[in-house]
Amino acid sequence: TIYGKAVYVGSSDGNFRSLRLKDGKLLWVHQGVKGFCDAAPYVDKTQVIFNTWGGKVYSLDTKMGTTQWTWTIPGSHFFSAGASTPLKTGNRVFIVSPDRRTYCLDTWTGDVLYFADCGRESNILSEDGKIIFIKAMGGQAWALPTQIKKSEINGTLAPDSPSKDRWMPDVPVFEPEKAIWSVQSGLGKDIGSSTLALCGNMLLIPSDKGNLHALDRNTGAQLWIHKIGLGLTNPVSAWEENGKICILVSTMDGKIELLEI
């Protein structure tokens, strides 16, 4: 991630680095990182937050690289949020994890405020930071409010929850009925980790089967499905140009397409 005049990058050698954008000079290095870094970090003027395949989430000081807090995905040693970028809005950080939960952490302490029993590795924040869009493994898509008060969350895990064996009785569970919307997205069982994208009224969801799904971001209604290839669909780039929406998309089997709407 590029922020200001620096580049922030993790690796597989146990180090996380800040490099000067101009010439690559090392500004600082944070050592002892457990697991390799896959997804891009979140960076602002006060925090660098990143996930690793060691089941850890790290928050570092942006200028010095010193530890602010660390958090471990609870309940199992092999679950990791390594394929997703943390999302921060206000004083909350959202982590979508392969244990099929979306965790809301306190920005300054790393304490779990609550979790939603949905997700896996794909998410995106609305431009104003008020909504988090999530793709779940079982073919569902969700739009959840990000600023709901902790005191208003008092749900429990459903009997058929995929994570019922990792119950945390002291952590509130977000009730599904408080979602802005939740739908069957049409993806079916999907374990692709490519991040979601927003453009215009669309939520774009890459799949592990070479498809790109478009949902109405306001309702979750399916708009269209486009077949690109047979392999995993990579993260997409989408923008508006000359009255059209342009979407650049590729798949793991070597297909690249530019779509116009």
Side-chain angles (χ1 to χ4, degrees), residues 24-202:
K25 178 183 177 182
L26 181 66
L27 299 176
W28 53 255
V29 58
H30 183 91
Q31 299 176 320
V33 174
K34 180 182 178 182
F36 72 88
C37 302
D38 185 350
Y42 169 86
V43 185
D44 62 22
K45 64 181 181 180
T46 60
Q47 281 182 296
V48 178
I49 310 172
F50 61 94
N51 303 329
T52 78
W53 281 101
K56 302 280 284 185
V57 180
Y58 291 81
S59 176
L60 310 180
D61 178 86
T62 305
K63 293 183 178 180
M64 304 297 295
T66 51
T67 300
Q68 294 174 331
W69 50 260
T70 62
W71 181 68
T72 302
I73 304 295
S76 178
H77 68 280
F78 60 84
F79 285 129
S80 168
S84 65
T85 295
L87 302 177
K88 177 180 174 181
T89 176
N91 61 352
R92 297 181 175 188
V93 176
F94 290 87
I95 305 293
V96 174
S97 172
D99 65 355
R100 307 188 199 181
R101 291 177 175 177
T102 297
Y103 294 93
C104 177
L105 310 183
D106 182 274
T107 297
W108 306 116
T109 65
D111 294 334
V112 181
L113 301 178
Y114 63 88
F115 70 84
D117 198 33
C118 62
R120 182 172 165 90
E121 291 170 330
S122 299
N123 56 16
I124 194 168
L125 272 178
S126 61
E127 295 85 351
D128 60 8
K130 294 181 179 180
I131 303 172
I132 180 172
F133 299 94
I134 302 163
K135 184 195 78 173
M137 180 180 175
Q140 304 88 9
W142 299 71
L144 306 183
T146 61
Q147 301 305 313
I148 188 170
K149 294 180 180 179
K150 181 181 176 181
S151 60
E152 297 176 0
I153 300 174
N154 52 19
T156 59
L157 284 178
D160 59 348
S161 167
S163 60
K164 62 181 179 298
D165 57 336
R166 292 178 297 281
W167 170 239
M168 296 184 294
D170 57 334
V171 178
V173 181
F174 183 91
E175 298 97 321
E177 58 269 19
K178 292 182 178 177
I180 297 170
W181 53 256
S182 62
V183 299
Q184 287 293 327
S185 63
L187 276 81
K189 185 175 181 180
D190 190 284
I191 61 171
S193 60
S194 297
T195 189
L196 313 182
L198 292 168
C199 194
N201 71 323
M202 295 185 300

